[in-house]
């Protein structure tokens, strides 16, 4: 059985995501905020399934601060966006999704590259595992995964434009999974872009919540 959507689950994803990006999350009781140190120290505030009153309050604070992002995980995205519409916030993204997969039955063997031209490097850092795929010394794809409270939290599964449509996204995911299954993980968790969702669904991942981002 896959994980169930909850505030705790979103916070688990934030912790794992932060570990791979060297961020320091802060829980103030209403949101979990993260200073995006690799993006000019913008402040991203995350909230799960907020009440109308709470999201209006957070949106008002966001509108007053050009360096602040508000990211909402919800099952009622259209309703909340309609509620925020009069405030004139800019919708940065409304096509992301929080997704999960049961790690039971996942392949523990390190996968073979889809083509002999590709080679893979595994990096095992204290808080994050990474894989980098290269072709003749040129980076073709990469990805990261952190372990947080029994979850494998995947991040930045990227394929260079030159090497797309060659199976590298699936390859990176399977390589990360084979590495992280050495740890005690029960579920996978990730935040998927619109482009990534089709790949993850193909690999057996399930949609948990829609995610949208707004700013001033």
């Amino acid at each position: 059985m896959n994980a169930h959507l909850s505030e705790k689950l979103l916070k688990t994803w934030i912790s794992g995501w932060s570990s791979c990006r060297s961020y320091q999350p802060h829980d103030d009781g209403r949101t979990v905020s993260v200073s995006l140190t690799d993006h000019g120290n913008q402040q991203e505030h995350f909230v799960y399934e907020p009440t109308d009153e709470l999201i209006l309050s957070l949106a008002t604070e966001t509108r007053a601060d050009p360096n602040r992002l508000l990211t909402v995980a919800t099952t009622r995205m259209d309703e909340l966006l309609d509620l925020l519409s009069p405030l004139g916030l800019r919708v940065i993204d409304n096509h992301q999704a929080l997704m999960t997969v049961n790690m039971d039955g996942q392949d523990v063997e390190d996968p073979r590259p889809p083509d002999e031209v590709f080679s893979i490097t595994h990096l095992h850092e204290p808080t994050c595992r990474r894989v980098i795929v290269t072709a003749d010394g040129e980076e073709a794809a990469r990805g990261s995964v952190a372990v947080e409270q029994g979850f494998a939290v995947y991040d930045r599964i990227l394929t260079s434009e030159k090497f797309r449509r060659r199976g590298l996204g699936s390859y990176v995911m399977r390589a990360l999974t084979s590495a992280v299954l050495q740890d005690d993980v029960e579920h996978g968790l990730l935040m998927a872009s619109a482009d990534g969702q089709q790949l993850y669904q193909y690999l057996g991942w399930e949609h948990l919540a829609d995610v949208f981002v707004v700013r001033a």
Side-chain angles (χ1 to χ4, degrees), residues 23-200:
Y23 296 155
Q24 296 295 324
H26 172 69
D27 189 343
D28 67 7
R30 297 192 308 157
T31 68
V32 178
S33 61
V34 176
S35 179
L36 307 181
T37 52
D38 52 349
H39 291 282
N41 290 316
Q42 296 181 86
Q43 292 290 323
E44 187 164 6
H45 289 253
F46 296 88
V47 63
Y48 163 74
E49 209 68 280
T51 64
D52 291 358
E53 180 182 11
L54 177 57
I55 196 170
L56 286 171
S57 176
L58 295 172
T60 300
E61 294 169 12
T62 301
R63 186 175 61 175
D65 186 350
N67 290 318
R68 177 173 170 138
L69 305 172
L70 177 61
T71 299
V72 183
T74 180
T75 57
R76 55 190 192 107
M77 180 172 67
D78 291 343
E79 180 182 340
L80 293 179
L81 285 173
D82 285 345
L83 182 67
L84 296 181
S85 181
L87 296 180
L89 291 166
R90 185 154 58 102
V91 179
I92 300 300
D93 194 341
N94 61 349
H95 297 289
Q96 294 187 63
L98 189 64
M99 303 183 75
T100 187
V101 72
N102 194 321
M103 299 296 279
D104 287 344
Q106 298 290 317
D107 194 351
V108 299
E109 298 294 328
D110 204 14
R112 298 182 64 179
D115 191 298
E116 290 183 359
V117 70
F118 297 117
S119 60
I120 189 168
T121 300
H122 287 265
L123 303 175
H124 191 176
E125 301 172 2
T127 60
C128 189
R129 295 174 185 263
R130 307 183 194 276
V131 298
I132 301 173
V133 181
T134 56
D136 297 325
E138 182 179 359
E139 183 176 304
R142 64 165 52 233
S144 306
V145 64
V147 175
E148 185 70 30
Q149 300 181 36
F151 285 82
V153 181
Y154 295 77
D155 183 44
R156 281 179 173 162
I157 313 302
L158 303 174
T159 302
S160 299
E161 186 172 356
K162 177 180 176 180
F163 296 99
R164 289 177 183 170
R165 302 189 183 282
R166 298 179 66 175
L168 289 179
S170 297
Y171 176 52
V172 167
M173 287 295 293
R174 290 180 170 127
L176 289 169
T177 298
S178 69
V180 82
L181 281 176
Q182 300 174 29
D183 300 305
D184 186 18
V185 293
E186 298 179 1
H187 305 282
L189 195 59
L190 58 76
M191 192 78 75
S193 66
D195 291 338
Q197 288 175 48
Q198 186 174 0
L199 166 64
Y200 303 131

